[in-house]
Amino acid sequence: MPELIELEVATPERQLVHEDVAEVQVPGKDGELGILPGHAPLLSELGCGTLSYPVAGRRRYLAILGGFLEVLPGHIRVLADAAERAEEIDLERARADLRRAEEQLASQAPDADPAASLAAMERAQARVLAAEQR
Amino acid sequence: MPSLIDIRRRIRSVKNTQQITKAMKMVSAAKLRRAQDRVIAARPYAAMLRKVLADVAGAVAALDQPVENPLLAQREERRTLLVLITGDKGLAGAFNTNLIKGAQRFAAERAGATVTFELIGRKGRDFFRKRGAAIAGDHIGLAAKVAYADTAAIAHQAMDLFRNDEIDAVYLLYNEFKSVMAQRLTITRVLPVAMPEQSAPADFIFAQPPAEMLGRLLPRYVEMEFYRALLESAAAEHAARMTAMDSATSNAAEMIEKLTLYMNRVRQASITKEIIEVVSGAAAGE
């Protein structure tokens, strides 16, 4: 029986995950973080990306769009600004959103804020990635 | 004495009203359930955020140099922003009246200081606009569908005012959902932020500097206070309306009963009168 950690994922609007997992991959702000039981206490900000953890021989994926991460002994708290389960994402629409975000970034419209366009593209990318994993 | 037809007409009108109040009660009951679910759904995040903030606060307190954050600045409360959350619609008993009275009391207690209003909900806006109070902004139609993004935008306006030293404190005044029968008028200070009890400092690895993390967590915490207040208020409003409409429905039933009794009495009186007329007419003819 492998050691497990309690994983909690919530957005301001709802709780998405609350279960015991063997391991979890989290999109940290400065890169992907893999967390196993016994990890040292950690506080980090989250970037846009996919969070994944194994359940009954399969991996489950979530798109995470920014937030905070706290790792405690035996407990992981993921406070996402926004998050969706891979199954909930409409892949076609997510791809269309990504294309639109890319075009906007490429066109460099004078009124567009490049940082905002970039953030929009990152969010769209995270959603497409998560949806493709399902 | 009113005629039979008049009474019948009144009964019919009361019945129509009763149908409306009954329907409104049912609609509120359904909306209340949904609003309650949303209040419950927001709890895990709020609880986690409080714990993370407590941990960060503990770690920051253990640092050598004190950490300054504009959202924690304590100033003398000379200029206060009161965020009043009322409903958009009436027919909810004393729901809005209590809020408006509470807001007036709040302003009266601070006679020496200036109180500016941020009004969420049509009822509060109409009231204070008519009276020419100092209004920083108003928002209508939020309670029907409380969205985090809208709420966060309002919270950011308040935070900007506070950061720019235009106000010294921000208070939230709203009805908290206590039970279906009872709402509790709640007033909380959201700015400057009152930090949650620091937890024992664990040896955290910080991926970002603690001060920076605190700087990002605090606005989220304030947003969440606003969001929770709006959700609570929405649930409380539906509960208040449901209770008010329930008592209106039973009042209408009582009235119908009374009127029916009265109508029967009038009918009987007129029949008796007619019989007397017939009998006395016959007697006179003999």
Side-chain angles (χ1 to χ4, degrees), chain B residues 22-32 34 238 242:
Chain B
K22 207 189 257 171
M24 280 182 74
K25 179 194 146 191
M26 242 101 93
V27 170
S28 293
K31 283 188 178 166
L32 169 64
R34 237 171 300 148
H238 292 310
M242 196 179 103

Side-chain angles (χ1 to χ4, degrees), chain A residues 9-26:
Chain A
V9 182
T11 70
E13 276 157 349
R14 63 185 174 144
Q15 186 171 46
L16 284 112
V17 181
H18 190 187
E19 50 191 312
D20 292 335
V21 298
E23 162 260 328
V24 61
Q25 294 282 330
V26 188

